[in-house]
Amino acid sequence: MLAINSTCLHATPFQKQKLTTLQMRRAPARASGKLDGIGKPAAGDVHKAMLGGLAAGVLLISSVSGVPEAAQAIPQTSRCATESCEDEDYSGRNLTKEGAYFTKGTIKRANFDDVYAVGVSFFGADATGATFRNANLASADLGQANFNRADLTGAILEGAFVGSARFNNAIIKDSDWSDVILRSDVNADLCDVAEGTNPVTGVDTRESLLCF
C-alpha cells in the first residue's frame, strides 16, 4: 500500500519544493546513519572532519614550502648561550653566509673585526668589551644586547635593530648609524662621543645619529 505524506497533500508548491530539497539532503546521511536525533550530523563526525581537514592543511603547507619540519623551527638560543664564546676570534668571516647567530650568547671580548654580519642575530647577547672594528652589521638584530665598552670603530650599523640595547662607554668613531632607531637617551649618549666618517659609506657619524 502506498504511503502518502499528509504534509505534502496540503502544502503549497513552494513548500513542496522546499520539503523535497530537505528530504534529498537528508537521504544520504540517513543511509549512512550519520544523523543525530534532530537531523544534524553527529558531533563526533563533525569533530573528525575538522581534525582531518587540519591535518591535511599542515601536510599541504609542509609540502609546498619544501622545508623539513625540523628546519622550520626558529632557534631561540645559540651555541654561545650554552657554551661560552668569550674571547673567540671571528674576525674576517662572512657570518651571514655561514648562517651564524649569537642569540642570547656570551661573547665578551670576542673579536668580530672586519666580519660581514648583515642580518645576523646578536639578540640578547652579552658583547661586553667585544670588538667590531670595520664590521658590517647592517640590518643585524642587536636588540636587548649588551655592547658596553664594545669597539664599533668604522662599523656599519645601517638599518640595524637595537631596541633596548646598551652602548655605555662604547667606541663609535667612524661608525654609520643610518636608519637606526634609538631611544632618545641612548642617542644622546652616543652623540656625546660621536665623531668621524665611515670609510666605506662616506657617512658622517654624527649625521647618521642625527646629532644636533
Side-chain angles (χ1 to χ4, degrees):
M1 185 174 183
L2 179 63
I4 299 176
N5 189 325
S6 60
T7 304
C8 293
L9 291 177
H10 301 287
T12 64
F14 173 75
Q15 291 173 328
K16 289 180 180 180
Q17 181 181 1
K18 188 174 181 180
L19 182 59
T20 301
T21 301
L22 180 61
Q23 290 173 333
M24 291 176 64
R25 289 178 179 174
R26 289 184 176 180
R30 282 203 180 105
S32 59
K34 296 297 183 179
L35 286 180
D36 62 14
I38 56 175
K40 296 181 181 179
D45 297 321
V46 173
H47 183 63
K48 290 178 181 178
M50 291 175 64
L51 290 178
L54 180 61
V58 172
L59 290 175
L60 178 61
I61 292 173
S62 298
S63 62
V64 171
S65 65
V67 180
E69 293 181 15
Q72 294 180 31
I74 300 175
Q76 298 300 312
T77 56
S78 61
R79 177 184 68 84
C80 294
T82 55
E83 304 173 20
S84 175
C85 294
E86 295 181 6
D87 302 300
E88 288 198 9
D89 186 3
Y90 299 92
S91 61
R93 289 166 55 174
N94 188 332
L95 300 177
T96 303
K97 186 176 181 180
E98 293 177 19
Y101 58 95
F102 302 88
T103 307
K104 300 180 181 179
T106 301
I107 50 177
K108 295 178 180 179
R109 301 177 303 278
N111 185 347
F112 290 91
D113 294 350
D114 300 300
V115 298
Y116 185 86
V118 173
V120 171
S121 175
F122 291 88
F123 181 85
D126 186 355
T128 302
T131 61
F132 294 84
R133 290 184 287 262
N134 302 313
N136 191 337
L137 299 169
S139 301
D141 186 353
L142 313 181
Q144 300 184 28
N146 183 352
F147 286 89
N148 294 341
R149 300 193 303 279
D151 188 348
L152 295 161
T153 301
I156 300 173
L157 296 96
E158 182 178 359
F161 174 73
V162 299
S164 299
R166 288 159 289 173
F167 298 95
N168 298 332
N169 300 310
I171 302 172
I172 63 169
K173 181 180 180 181
D174 299 332
S175 56
D176 182 354
W177 297 75
S178 299
D179 300 321
V180 175
I181 300 176
L182 293 155
R183 275 196 346 236
S184 58
D185 57 328
V186 175
N187 199 104
D189 289 342
L190 292 176
C191 283
D192 287 342
V193 296
E195 62 174 320
T197 301
N198 188 270
V200 176
T201 65
V203 174
D204 182 275
T205 300
R206 291 185 60 80
E207 288 185 5
S208 70
L209 286 167
L210 302 178
C211 301
F212 300 106

